[in-house]
Amino acid sequence: MRFNCTEQLSGIYTIDFYLMEETTNWPIHLSDRSASQIVFTPEEHAIEATIAPNSFKNDSKSKDDLYEIDLSYTILTRSEALEQLLDQYVNQPGIAVVKYYNGFTKIFGTDQEPLLLTFQVDDGTSIESKSGIEIVIEGTQRNRPIYYTI
């Protein structure tokens, strides 16, 4: 077997979390090819937030035939409206769509094995200390995350 591949950029560019009701048209058998059938209809919100640079992490692990998904990032913006919005997403079943700097996109979670979002507010200890909102998206799925191409 011969592999010939040019170097690709590494790192996560964005992580989007969609509630299950914001997705439709799931294929019976989810694969890299059939993932393009999924339709995303996210709710629009007028809240902007700044993500901490280099805070995206994918600590997911493969254990036997299961994938333990563990995605996280930090939002630097602090506002009442942002926390109220996050309250609507916390512990609700959904999926994560992760875009990478190399142009690939992967879907973590499925309609049958959704993920859960939680968040933790860090108020900091002083004016100079970093504070923010730590977002964690976790769950377990049977298959590896699926590549999503349109």
Side-chain angles (χ1 to χ4, degrees):
M1 187 182 305
R2 177 184 292 171
F3 290 100
N4 187 8
C5 184
T6 56
E7 186 176 351
Q8 299 284 326
L9 295 172
S10 63
I12 296 173
Y13 180 62
T14 63
I15 298 177
D16 297 323
F17 185 77
Y18 296 93
L19 294 176
M20 292 314 299
E21 58 256 21
E22 296 175 319
T23 65
T24 56
N25 205 33
W26 283 86
I28 293 171
H29 176 69
L30 185 61
S31 67
D32 294 334
R33 289 188 178 165
S34 66
S36 62
Q37 297 175 21
I38 303 168
V39 176
F40 298 97
T41 53
E43 284 190 36
E44 295 293 325
H45 302 283
I47 298 171
E48 292 188 21
T50 303
I51 307 294
N54 302 318
S55 70
F56 288 120
K57 286 188 248 175
N58 179 358
D59 291 331
S60 301
K61 295 174 181 69
S62 172
K63 231 181 191 183
D64 298 322
D65 291 338
L66 296 177
Y67 286 82
E68 294 178 359
I69 307 302
D70 184 4
L71 304 168
S72 63
Y73 58 95
T74 302
I75 299 175
L76 296 176
T77 306
R78 296 290 309 279
S79 73
E80 180 181 354
L82 178 59
E83 287 187 36
Q84 289 172 348
L85 176 63
L86 289 171
D87 281 338
Q88 295 175 21
Y89 283 78
V90 78
N91 291 324
Q92 297 295 317
I95 62 162
V97 177
V98 178
K99 295 177 185 166
Y100 297 87
Y101 282 107
N102 61 10
F104 294 138
T105 301
K106 285 185 177 182
I107 296 176
F108 290 75
T110 69
D111 60 333
Q112 300 298 313
E113 300 164 316
L115 307 177
L116 298 177
L117 180 144
T118 57
F119 71 94
Q120 179 68 40
V121 177
D122 179 8
D123 289 321
T125 56
S126 68
I127 269 186
E128 298 87 17
S129 66
K130 288 190 177 185
S131 65
I133 301 172
E134 177 78 17
I135 305 292
V136 177
I137 302 168
E138 296 177 305
T140 303
Q141 66 185 66
R142 286 172 289 191
N143 299 316
R144 68 166 171 77
I146 301 299
Y147 282 95
Y148 177 72
T149 54
I150 308 174

